[in-house]
Amino acid sequence: MNYFLDVLKKYAVFSGRARRKEYWMYILFVAIIYIVLAVIGVVTKQTWIPIVFYVAILLPSLGVLVRRLHDTGRSGWWVLFSLVPLVGGITVLVFACLDSEPGENKYGPNPKGLAPAHV
């Protein structure tokens, strides 16, 4: 739950890097909350309930995705590529699944706190 709250605390932060675990734990909690709200909305015939939640978390979700892309060494502008039907969404999904770029990159230090292993 801390991962979800940490992302919400960085509501509109588009700089820096987000670990894979931070991103996917946030997505997991969003999915669980959305499903619960959707069920409540269907039961009470208030279909606007999950829509309000989705709109409320849109900006933090974009922020954490941009930070996740930064962690892999990519620009946040790749988010726009996800608008391309089929190929765009799959590409951004693959980028979100990739491991962090080791060491510091142009978006900041590695959030894992590990130095790259150079011999």
Side-chain angles (χ1 to χ4, degrees):
M1 188 70 170
N2 287 335
Y3 290 104
F4 180 75
L5 296 176
D6 288 344
V7 169
L8 292 182
K9 288 177 187 174
K10 298 176 187 177
Y11 192 78
V13 176
F14 293 93
S15 60
R17 295 168 66 170
R19 291 179 63 183
R20 205 173 14 183
K21 185 174 183 178
E22 176 185 358
Y23 177 75
W24 288 110
M25 291 299 287
Y26 171 77
I27 295 299
L28 174 66
F29 280 105
V30 165
I32 291 169
I33 293 168
Y34 185 83
I35 289 169
V36 169
L37 290 176
V39 169
I40 291 170
V42 168
V43 169
T44 62
K45 297 182 182 171
Q46 304 291 324
T47 57
W48 55 269
I49 295 173
I51 295 170
V52 170
F53 173 71
Y54 180 76
V55 170
I57 62 153
L58 183 61
L59 202 53
S61 297
L62 285 173
V64 75
L65 178 57
V66 167
R67 291 192 310 272
R68 179 71 202 123
L69 289 169
H70 287 172
D71 194 41
T72 63
R74 289 169 180 78
S75 169
W77 289 105
W78 276 97
V79 171
L80 294 177
F81 189 68
S82 65
L83 299 174
V84 175
L86 191 63
V87 175
I90 292 171
T91 303
V92 173
L93 174 68
V94 168
F95 289 163
C97 292
L98 293 176
D99 196 12
S100 301
E101 196 173 66
E104 188 169 332
N105 66 15
K106 65 182 178 181
Y107 302 105
N110 190 335
K112 288 182 180 178
L114 303 175
H118 288 99
V119 177

